[in-house]
Amino acid sequence: MTVRSRPLSPHLQIYRWTITMAMSILHRATGIANYAGTALLVLWLAAAAWGQEPLNAVNELYGSWFGQLVLFGFTWSLIHHMLGGIRHFIWDFTIGMEPGQREMLAWANLVGSIVLTLLVWTVFVWMA
């Protein structure tokens, strides 16, 4: 009886990275990051429920340069994940499935998330 060698699956190193692959991975990563960001929101709401002193402490933390950086990243994560969901919703109708269209939607997702995050934070800073 001869043992047949099984075919090996292609390794990631031989694949050519595409923007749609990167956006798929990033969509999953932002979904995970949104859980952590939601915990920050819960912490802020809990501090507000506990009283003024805990709320001041959380506001001070979130108002620091590191807190602002984390909140900026959370904002981008929310917007990027939302736009990725819209992209997938569009695909559910088999719209934008051609190779050039898929890449265009993926780039629009990335660029749109950056632009919208900057717009939200510009309005936030302007209003504050």
Side-chain angles (χ1 to χ4, degrees):
M1 187 163 158
T2 309
V3 177
R4 293 174 50 192
S5 62
R6 297 184 57 164
L8 299 176
S9 296
H11 194 270
L12 284 175
Q13 292 174 336
I14 70 164
Y15 284 113
R16 180 180 59 87
W17 276 91
T18 62
I19 186 68
T20 53
M21 289 170 67
M23 289 302 104
S24 176
I25 293 167
L26 202 52
H27 185 73
R28 287 171 175 83
T30 56
I32 294 167
N34 288 342
Y35 277 103
T38 303
L40 294 175
L41 177 62
V42 169
L43 176 65
W44 183 74
L45 290 172
W50 285 328
Q52 191 62 44
E53 190 173 315
L55 180 62
N56 288 342
V58 171
N59 284 340
E60 186 176 325
L61 176 66
Y62 290 177
S64 69
W65 69 269
F66 183 72
Q68 293 290 297
L69 184 65
V70 169
L71 291 176
F72 184 85
F74 179 49
T75 306
W76 175 80
S77 177
L78 283 172
I79 291 172
H80 184 81
H81 197 77
M82 177 193 65
L83 292 179
I86 291 170
R87 180 171 53 107
H88 282 273
F89 185 68
I90 290 169
W91 285 348
D92 286 343
F93 293 98
T94 64
I95 299 170
M97 295 301 288
E98 298 299 318
Q101 295 171 339
R102 285 192 312 261
E103 281 79 15
M104 188 258 325
L105 283 173
W107 280 109
N109 186 11
L110 182 61
V111 171
S113 66
I114 294 169
V115 169
L116 287 174
T117 300
L118 291 173
L119 182 65
V120 165
W121 274 77
T122 300
V123 170
F124 170 74
V125 169
W126 180 69
M127 302 265 309

